[in-house]
Amino acid sequence: MRLKISHVTEYHYDEPSQFSLQRLRLTPPSAFGQKVLNWSLHVEGAKPEVEYDDQFGNHVNLVSLQGEQKVTRIVAEGEVETEDRNGMTGPHTGFCPLWLFLRDTPRTKPGKLIRELIRTINGDNELARMHALMAAIHEAVDYRPGTSNTDTTAEQAMEKKSGVCQDHAHIFVSAARALHVPARYVSGYLMMEGKAEQAATHAWGEAHIPNLGWVGFDPANDICPDARYVRVASGLCYRDAAPVSGMRIGTPGEKLSVMVKVEDQSQMQSQS
């Protein structure tokens, strides 16, 4: 597929902000199963400070904004060519050792409900157990926007039995680690059938399977990522892969709006 992506993030402040520093993980890499054909990242009125690849291999742009500002507008857009690799994204690389991906964070620390969940998971090998885990999470936790936020933990989402893709991903990562399988949280984009415009990015989990490397599992949709998915960033949990994070000086009130548009250009070209 040739996916055209447009991702616009806007922060509207109650009172003008004097200074802000934003860390942006909004640049997808060319890697197994995806090739970035073109990509641009723009923040109106911002000064680029530095860009680098972090410890997880995510490309990070650090930008600052000074002077009175009531709105911060961030636009990431471009085209990515993708292929279906049955969720496989290649062998482990990068600065972090594989054992690090067995480490819990506050969002992925397993509690009673996660431990009860993993006692129901069976399979002849780790790949089979991860497929069983993905299906069990999909069955147990309803996709219901508005019932969680970015600080919701995997255990809390299990207790509510509802959440969004971020919560499904945290539960998968938490449970996989509890089963002694290295796992990581992934943020990115998903082309949804018949729905080009979306209110958020997507998230799923990856588990490291012997002889296969990293394999993606999307419990929100109960499938392994295919050509409709674009990986952008990964880490131990949402905090490491958040598209936008940072700080600003000013009053705390703000309103966030996000618009994501993902279209299959190859399909559109074949129909024209």
Side-chain angles (χ1 to χ4, degrees):
M1 284 185 169
R2 184 183 178 117
L3 300 179
K4 182 179 181 181
I5 299 165
S6 173
H7 180 182
V8 180
T9 305
E10 287 187 347
Y11 292 91
H12 293 259
Y13 309 125
D14 293 344
E15 298 293 337
S17 173
Q18 299 300 315
F19 177 81
S20 64
L21 192 63
Q22 302 285 359
R23 182 190 296 113
L24 311 176
R25 299 183 188 86
L26 288 166
T27 303
S30 286
F32 267 49
Q34 66 181 43
K35 178 182 179 182
V36 178
L37 303 176
N38 57 77
W39 196 261
S40 66
L41 177 60
H42 179 69
V43 185
E44 294 179 4
K47 173 189 174 186
E49 295 290 349
V50 66
E51 56 183 292
Y52 58 92
D53 290 341
D54 68 14
Q55 69 272 33
F56 298 107
N58 306 320
H59 191 74
V60 180
N61 291 79
L62 192 66
V63 301
S64 66
L65 295 98
Q66 299 188 44
E68 289 200 352
Q69 38 176 311
K70 288 209 69 172
V71 179
T72 296
R73 179 178 169 86
I74 305 166
V75 180
E77 56 189 359
E79 293 179 298
V80 182
E81 191 172 75
T82 63
E83 59 180 304
D84 185 0
R85 299 182 65 90
N86 297 314
M88 292 186 288
T89 58
H92 180 65
T93 59
F95 303 112
C96 296
L98 200 53
W99 56 258
L100 186 71
F101 296 92
L102 291 168
R103 177 179 294 179
D104 295 322
T105 72
R107 289 180 177 83
T108 66
K109 185 177 181 180
K112 176 176 176 287
L113 297 177
I114 297 288
R115 298 195 185 283
E116 287 178 356
L117 173 69
I118 65 174
R119 280 198 287 271
T120 69
I121 304 303
N122 297 304
D124 294 334
N125 51 55
E126 289 185 353
L127 181 61
R129 285 194 287 277
M130 293 302 100
H131 276 285
L133 175 60
M134 175 173 67
I137 297 169
H138 182 76
E139 179 68 23
V141 182
D142 292 337
Y143 181 83
R144 198 180 305 158
T147 60
S148 63
N149 57 54
T150 56
D151 292 325
T152 299
T153 68
E155 189 71 11
Q156 289 170 335
M158 280 293 295
E159 185 176 0
K160 293 180 179 179
K161 297 182 179 179
S162 67
V164 295
C165 56
Q166 173 186 300
D167 303 299
H168 291 87
H170 278 150
I171 295 170
F172 178 86
V173 168
S174 175
R177 290 174 184 162
L179 289 166
H180 308 292
V181 177
R184 61 188 180 189
Y185 177 99
V186 180
S187 68
Y189 301 106
L190 167 62
M191 191 205 75
M192 301 174 69
E193 299 295 339
K195 187 179 179 182
E197 294 189 3
Q198 306 163 31
T201 56
H202 196 54
W204 59 97
E206 286 184 348
H208 190 271
I209 308 297
N211 301 319
L212 290 179
W214 289 104
V215 180
F217 295 89
D218 179 6
N221 292 298
D222 197 19
I223 59 173
C224 288
D226 54 25
R228 297 171 301 158
Y229 289 69
V230 173
R231 296 178 82 264
V232 177
S234 64
L236 298 182
C237 69
Y238 168 81
R239 179 180 178 180
D240 299 326
V244 181
S245 61
M247 56 77 68
R248 67 181 173 86
I249 298 175
T251 54
E254 67 179 26
K255 182 179 179 181
L256 169 66
S257 66
V258 177
M259 193 284 289
V260 177
K261 192 173 184 180
V262 184
E263 299 174 288
D264 180 8
Q265 292 296 288
S266 53
Q267 188 178 56
M268 293 176 68
Q269 288 171 3
S270 65
Q271 291 175 343
S272 63

